[in-house]
Structure formats: C-alpha cells, structure tokens
Amino acid sequence: MNIVWITITCIGLIILIITNPNIAFSCLLNGSENAISLSLKLWAIYAVWLGLLKIMENVGLDKKIAKLLNKPIKYLFGKVPEDAKTQISINLSCNMLGMGNASVPSGIKAMQLLQGKTKFATNAMIMLMLLNTCNLQLFPATIIGMRIFAGSKNPSVIIIPTLLVSTICVFISIMLVKIFSKIFKDKE
Amino acid sequence: MFGAIFIPCCIVALIGYSLIKKKNAYNSFVDGAKGSFDLALSMFPYLVAILIAIELYNQSGLNKILSQIFAPIFSTVGIPSELAELVIIKNFSGSGSLALLENIFKNYGVDSYISMCACVIMATSEAVFFVSSVYFCKTKIEKLRYAIPLALFMNFISAIFSCFICKLFI
C-alpha cells in the first residue's frame, strides 16, 4: 500500500506539474473533499447496519450464524478466537447476500480481534481480506440495477457467469492462501 | 427486485424475533448505532489518502497511460483492450469503476459482449486498495506481507475468467 500510494501520488503530481500545474493542488483538495462526502455517506450506512447488527447480537442470532458456519470457518481460518468467528461469519454472510456495505463494520471488528502482538498480518487476516476482495456474492444487485437502468433487454444474464467466476476465484484464492500460509508461517 | 424486498423483510423478521425474545430492539439499535461515528472517523484518514491518489491518477492522465501499457498484455490473455481501464481502476475504487461502467454501457451498448464482461468483472472483484486499508484501520498492522500482490493477482485472474465465461453465454 505504502509503495503504491507513493508511486501514484508522485508520478501523478509530476505529470500534472508538466502538463497542467494549475490543477495540481486542487486535485489534492478534491480528493479530500470526496473523502469527506464518502465518509459522511458511510457514516449514515454504518449507523443503520451497526444498529441492526446490535439487535442481532442481543437476540443471539449472530452466535447462531457463527455455529452454522463453524466448520468452514475452522477449515479456512484455523484456530481463531470465538468472538472473531462470530464477526467473520457475519462479514461473510453479508458479502454473500450482496450487502457489501454491511460487511465492512464486521470485517473491521474481525481484523481487530484477529490481530496478534506483531505488526505483521496473520494468515487468517489475509484469508479474510482475500475472501472480501474476491467479492463472493449470490446476487449482484447493484450491477443488475445499473443494467436495468441502462435499458438492458436481459439484465439478469450476468447472474450465472458471475456465480461461476466468483466460485472459481474464491476456490483458487483459498488454495493460494493455504499454500502461502504453509510457506510463510505467522511471525511471532 | 429481489434485493429491494429481501432486506426489509429480514429487518421486520429480526425486530419480530427480538419481540418474541423479549429484548428491547430500540435500545439495541441505538446502542449499536453509537459506534458508527467512531468507525467513520477512524476510516477517514485512509479514505483521504486513497481518494487523493485516485484523483491524481485520473486527472494526470495516468489512467490512460497505464491502460495503454497494459492493454496489449491483457488482450493476449483474452481481456478486450477496451476493458483495460476498468480492470485497473477496479483495484482502487468501487465508485470510480461504476462511473466507468456507465460509460462502457453508453459506448458499446448495454447488451454487448464488452458490457457483459465489464459487469461480470465488476461483480466478481472488489477494490483491493480500499479493502486493504479500511479493514486494517483499527489494527496496528503495518505489514500485509503477501496479501496485496495476491489480491491483485486474483482480481486479474477473475477478469480473465469473466471474459472467457462470458463468451460461452453470449
């Protein structure tokens, strides 16, 4: 992240200094402004989802989902604390139902619970991140909505290809993380 | 649509269930929502950094340069060169790639092969740099080890598969 950010920012700025120096600084401000409006939007979304998730937690529904997903989580993540398991299962089920925004708060909580004493990410954390970047979902609602809006004759034609591709990719990711965790053991 | 009905139904069921369990749903909701400001606040600095990089990336024309460099590589593995820009930006920003997707719909028609590939690519990958910085915002993790290269590689693989599988369905 570090290297990528520095590279993009520096190269971007250098190009702008050569081609169009007037907008160079306003780009930074624009980016920051976008971040404000995005975080306000996310604040609103998370307020709703965190509220609903708390209701789930208080009626014990989150533990039930965790129990349901206990076996796959145990296989994927190895030994993790019980409360992390709960957050992971909420994160994964929100993802699968296509509620990407709802999955972020539980993902962040899960990462907090998974971290060890070092500043190195553990293999379990990387597994969770990979499962999130693969975007496993049963129903790509946002994209289908956009297709309908654009006047597609057959908006839902993408469902089966999407399912196929994401299943294959999730499978490959899991295998690769498993292989990499054998090669790079967690650092103590 | 499915999503529009499904989520509200779940919420009604959830509140109903908490009534049966005699838990105070209102108190739980308020209690949970309290954490949202803190969460948004700890994400904010990361969002600023990412969005500044994206803004510079787009405004400087780096997006065009990069997609020109990568287009020939992509087309040898079956990704149409028209989609190079989308495949790259998808790693940085979800909203940026949605705007690009709209453009693709406009330029090539929503039911074309290109648009279909673009949709599947969008639905099967997630902004790696967003996830990798936001998910770790409350931890003290500094080194992500092999996570980012692997996630980028998987996004690339999923783009290849998307274009290949869409061919079978068109």
Side-chain angles (χ1 to χ4, degrees):
Chain A
M1 191 65 217
N2 208 342
I3 306 163
V4 177
W5 191 82
I6 292 170
T7 324
I8 292 179
T9 326
C10 281
I11 296 179
L13 274 175
I14 291 167
I15 294 177
L16 278 181
I17 289 166
I18 299 165
T19 56
N20 195 355
N22 295 326
I23 62 164
F25 190 70
S26 70
C27 272
L28 301 186
L29 289 179
N30 269 344
S32 182
E33 249 172 59
N34 290 344
I36 296 242
S37 55
L38 179 62
S39 42
L40 283 181
K41 218 183 274 170
L42 290 175
W43 181 14
I45 295 169
Y46 295 157
V48 175
W49 283 115
L50 283 171
L52 293 173
L53 288 173
K54 194 78 183 179
I55 300 181
M56 266 177 71
E57 196 182 304
N58 281 356
V59 294
L61 216 57
D62 57 339
K63 294 267 176 354
K64 279 192 184 136
I65 297 173
K67 217 175 235 169
L68 215 64
L69 293 175
N70 189 25
K71 276 244 169 71
I73 287 177
K74 212 172 187 179
Y75 169 73
L76 291 175
F77 296 91
K79 265 199 179 149
V80 292
E82 213 46 49
D83 43 354
K85 257 186 209 167
T86 316
Q87 296 300 336
I88 291 170
S89 48
I90 292 173
N91 174 269
L92 295 182
S93 33
C94 284
N95 267 329
M96 278 193 271
L97 294 173
M99 301 184 282
N101 283 320
S103 66
V104 177
S106 49
I108 293 174
K109 269 188 208 155
M111 289 296 186
Q112 251 178 311
L113 296 167
L114 285 174
Q115 69 174 332
K117 289 190 181 70
T118 57
K119 58 182 182 151
F120 294 97
T122 62
N123 288 320
M125 295 170 99
I126 296 174
M127 178 67 91
L128 183 62
M129 184 185 138
L130 257 286
L131 288 177
N132 272 285
T133 55
C134 274
N135 206 3
L136 177 65
Q137 51 179 332
L138 303 174
F139 188 83
T142 317
I143 305 294
I144 291 179
M146 280 182 72
R147 285 176 69 85
I148 294 170
F149 190 72
S152 167
K153 287 189 197 77
N154 192 356
S156 53
V157 68
I158 62 159
I159 294 179
I160 295 169
T162 302
L163 260 182
L164 281 174
V165 175
S166 56
T167 318
I168 297 170
C169 287
V170 166
F171 187 72
I172 300 175
S173 311
I174 291 170
M175 267 184 8
L176 286 178
V177 176
K178 284 273 170 201
I179 293 168
F180 277 113
S181 12
K182 288 264 152 49
I183 303 170
F184 308 104
K185 294 263 190 271
D186 283 340
K187 296 192 173 90
E188 286 303 322
Chain B
M1 282 303 298
F2 172 81
I5 300 169
F6 179 71
I7 294 173
C9 283
C10 284
I11 296 169
V12 173
L14 179 63
I15 295 173
Y17 185 65
S18 71
L19 278 176
I20 297 168
K21 280 235 162 184
K22 298 208 167 61
K23 298 274 181 193
N24 191 332
Y26 171 75
N27 282 352
S28 315
F29 185 87
V30 173
D31 195 26
K34 255 178 216 161
S36 60
F37 179 66
D38 179 48
L39 190 63
L41 201 64
S42 32
M43 280 169 59
F44 178 69
Y46 297 92
L47 292 179
V48 175
I50 298 178
L51 290 177
I52 283 179
I54 292 170
E55 188 75 17
L56 285 171
Y57 175 78
N58 283 328
Q59 293 295 335
S60 65
L62 202 59
N63 54 351
K64 299 279 182 295
I65 299 169
L66 266 187
S67 41
Q68 263 168 19
I69 294 172
F70 279 102
I73 305 168
F74 284 174
S75 52
T76 54
V77 290
I79 303 170
S81 51
E82 294 90 334
L83 295 177
E85 204 179 333
L86 181 80
V87 174
I88 299 170
I89 192 80
K90 186 72 238 255
N91 292 316
F92 297 96
S93 115
S95 52
S97 51
L98 280 177
L100 206 56
L101 182 65
E102 265 175 0
N103 263 338
I104 291 173
F105 284 169
K106 238 181 259 159
N107 293 340
Y108 303 99
V110 63
D111 287 312
S112 63
Y113 170 67
I114 300 278
S115 297
M116 192 173 158
C117 284
C119 286
V120 178
I121 290 172
M122 286 290 294
T124 54
S125 57
E126 195 47 73
V128 171
F129 292 108
F130 177 80
V131 172
S132 66
S133 51
V134 164
Y135 273 44
F136 293 93
C137 72
K138 287 214 169 199
T139 63
K140 38 184 196 314
I141 303 293
E142 284 168 23
K143 296 269 187 292
L144 294 183
R145 297 156 72 209
Y146 57 87
I148 289 179
L150 188 57
L152 290 176
F153 174 72
M154 282 316 300
N155 267 359
F156 180 56
I157 295 289
S158 92
I160 296 174
F161 273 119
S162 304
C163 295
F164 176 71
I165 287 177
C166 279
K167 260 184 204 146
L168 310 174
F169 278 83
I170 198 88

